Amino acid sequence: MRQPHESVAVVTHGVWMECALLEYCPEALEYGRRRVYNCDVYRGKLSLLEKGVSSGSGNNAGDFGGGDVILRDVEKVVFHHI
């Protein structure tokens, strides 16, 4: 199913986010050397791979019938206070 959204926000507890990132995007947390705290904000790109196409990495977040959803280019968003 296609969605018209270009951006989505997911708000969750820091521990859950840390577990998910370590499972699907361990490089975002330097393979466990960094932690996620409750007020941390991360961004990334979700891509849908068509069935039969290899992602080239183990970042599969789940099979949604038409292919796998992949989370890539995850990084922490840093807010600078003025």
Side-chain angles (χ1 to χ4, degrees):
M1 175 182 353
R2 303 254 181 230
Q3 293 290 323
H5 314 294
E6 291 185 18
S7 299
V8 297
V10 177
V11 179
T12 186
H13 193 277
V15 172
W16 187 92
M17 187 184 316
E18 183 173 315
C19 290
L21 289 174
L22 284 173
E23 177 71 22
Y24 299 108
C25 304
E27 64 279 0
L29 298 180
E30 298 177 8
Y31 299 91
R33 290 189 293 275
R34 291 178 46 202
R35 302 291 314 267
V36 176
Y37 298 96
N38 286 339
C39 292
D40 287 353
V41 176
Y42 284 81
R43 67 177 169 204
K45 296 178 184 173
L46 285 175
S47 302
L48 177 66
L49 291 179
E50 300 299 326
K51 282 192 173 192
V53 176
S54 174
S55 68
S57 70
N59 294 350
N60 293 345
D63 185 355
F64 287 84
D68 288 335
V69 176
I70 307 298
L71 180 59
R72 295 186 175 149
D73 303 327
V74 176
E75 63 184 5
K76 183 176 180 181
V77 177
V78 178
F79 296 97
H80 298 283
H81 294 31
I82 299 176

